[in-house]
Structures are given as C-alpha cells and as structure tokens.
Amino acid sequence: MGANWELHNCCNHHQVAFIVTIGVFTLVILLLWRTILLTPFKLITVFLHEASHALACKLTCGQVEGMQVHADEGGVTQTRGGAYWLILPAGYLGSSFWGMVLVLASTNLVTARIAAGCLAVALFVVLFVAKNWTLRGLCIGFIIFLAIIWILQEKTEVHVLRYVILFIGVMNSLFSVYDIYDDLISRRVNSSDAEMFAELCPCPCNGVAWGVIWGMISFIFLCGAMYLGLVILS
C-alpha cells in the first residue's frame, strides 16, 4: 500500500493525537519559555546547533578542535579546515532538521527508540570534544535522563519515550526558528553565522537577508515534520 500523500480521509485517531499533542507541547513551551524548566531543552537545541557545525566540518574533511555550550544559551564550535560555506549555515539549519527528524521519529516506537539511542550516542561522543563543564554536564545529564526514560518505557507501564522524543523535537524546531529571528534578524551581530556567511557568499545578500532565508527554511522543516508525520500515521 502506497503512502497517502494527499491525506485522504484525514484524520484518524493517531493523526488527531499527533496534532493535538504537538499543539499542547507548543502551548506548554510558550507558557514556560522564560522559566528555568525549559533551560535544559534549550541547551539541547544549542547542542544540536553546535553538533551540526561539527558534523558539517567532519563531512567536508575538516577537524573539530572543540565544542562549548554555555548556560546563557550560547555556544561555539572550534573547527579547522573543511568547507566553511557549508559549516556556517549547518548550525541553524541542522538543528531545525534534527527537530524535524525527532518529530517524525516519535510517530513509531521503534524509530523513537532509535532516535533516543542516537541522541545518547551523540551526547557521549561530544563528551570527548567538550571544552566546558556546562556542555559536559548537559551531555551526562541527558544521557542519564534518556536512560531513565528508556527503563521506564521497557520495564514499567509508564510508556513516555515517544512523547519525550516528540517534545524534544517540537522544542528544537520552535527554538531554532526563534533563535534565527533573535540572533540574525531582530538584531545584527557582526560575528553571527549569517554575517560571516554573507561575507563568503558572492550574492548581494547581507546577514539579515540570510537570516530571513534560513528562518523560512527552518519553518518549512517544522511544517514538513507535521505533514510527513500525518502521512506516516495515515
């Protein structure tokens, strides 16, 4: 049976639950945005941003010399070599892409397990290039958190793994779009990824213009995650 790309006869119970859960998570995230409760999940988004820089560097034959995630929701990745024109946009676009992947992974228990395992492995690997204790603590804390959620999923009646993966995905998608607006569009920072990318790119776009373009792409990732999730669940 082929994929229901046109979403005929939408929406069944699972599709409704998927959309409602995303809506509830979005509302909770917006209500708690300025609270300390969301700080660990914001820092995970920063982690995925910096990890995307590092991955782009390695895929283009560069060397990752270190990564940092700061408590003020900032971060930096030190790289040498590689394709700088791919490494720079990989942070914002990469974190948006991983948000989409996590949202889609939550639609099935098997893929949610795979996503949780891959995230735990990524956190473990980054421990070896982490240059500050905020990032080390984040990695260790989230590895323990995912392990607890995994044990609860497999050994008890508390089956929340899919919801945790979905929450992290939604949080990552929303924070990525907000981060692009806050860092690249609402204020102009000469050292931002977009400003440095504008200096490399031969086209006439400045940093703000690239921020708008990256923001649109990130929003497309978010909408694409919801659409593809409905297709998977149809």
Side-chain angles (χ1 to χ4, degrees):
M1 184 177 178
N4 181 16
W5 298 110
E6 295 81 12
L7 295 177
H8 293 307
N9 301 318
C10 184
C11 296
N12 60 37
H13 170 74
H14 297 295
Q15 291 171 316
V16 171
F18 177 69
I19 292 298
V20 169
T21 305
I22 289 178
V24 170
F25 283 169
T26 300
L27 180 62
V28 169
I29 289 168
L30 293 177
L31 290 175
L32 300 178
W33 190 261
R34 300 292 182 183
T35 70
I36 196 172
L37 294 175
L38 287 185
T39 298
F41 296 97
K42 289 181 178 180
L43 293 182
I44 278 292
T45 300
V46 178
F47 160 79
L48 289 172
H49 175 114
E50 300 304 333
S52 297
H53 280 311
L55 182 60
C57 176
K58 296 297 290 184
L59 290 176
T60 56
C61 303
Q63 182 68 35
V64 179
E65 298 184 335
M67 279 178 58
Q68 296 182 44
V69 169
H70 303 137
D72 63 358
E73 299 166 18
V76 62
T77 300
Q78 293 94 25
T79 63
R80 185 175 69 248
Y84 213 43
W85 61 277
L86 288 176
I87 296 172
L88 284 171
Y92 290 106
L93 298 183
S95 58
S96 300
F97 172 78
W98 295 123
M100 179 182 72
V101 169
L102 291 171
V103 169
L104 295 178
S106 72
T107 59
N108 182 279
L109 182 56
V110 173
T111 52
R113 287 187 179 119
I114 293 172
C118 290
L119 181 56
V121 169
L123 289 164
F124 179 76
V125 170
V126 167
L127 273 173
F128 296 95
V129 295
K131 293 296 184 180
N132 68 329
W133 278 106
T134 301
L135 179 53
R136 294 187 189 106
L138 179 70
C139 291
I140 294 170
F142 253 88
I143 289 172
I144 294 172
F145 172 70
L146 289 172
I148 292 172
I149 296 299
W150 190 289
I151 292 170
L152 291 174
Q153 176 70 38
E154 302 299 328
K155 302 297 183 180
T156 72
E157 296 301 316
V158 183
H159 298 158
V160 295
L161 179 61
R162 288 177 58 190
Y163 295 102
V164 169
I165 294 300
L166 178 58
F167 183 85
I168 295 174
V170 172
M171 178 69 209
N172 202 79
S173 298
L174 292 176
F175 190 64
S176 296
V177 174
Y178 169 81
D179 210 25
I180 289 173
Y181 172 77
D182 187 52
D183 288 352
L184 309 181
I185 300 174
S186 68
R187 55 192 175 95
R188 189 167 182 173
V189 181
N190 292 331
S191 60
S192 71
D193 294 342
E195 289 293 342
M196 290 189 287
F197 185 77
E199 293 177 3
L200 288 177
C201 183
C203 70
C205 294
N206 61 15
V208 174
W210 280 115
V212 172
I213 293 170
W214 293 355
M216 292 173 62
I217 295 173
S218 294
F219 187 72
I220 290 171
F221 278 141
L222 176 58
C223 295
M226 296 177 66
Y227 167 70
L228 292 174
L230 291 174
V231 171
I232 292 169
L233 293 170
S234 64

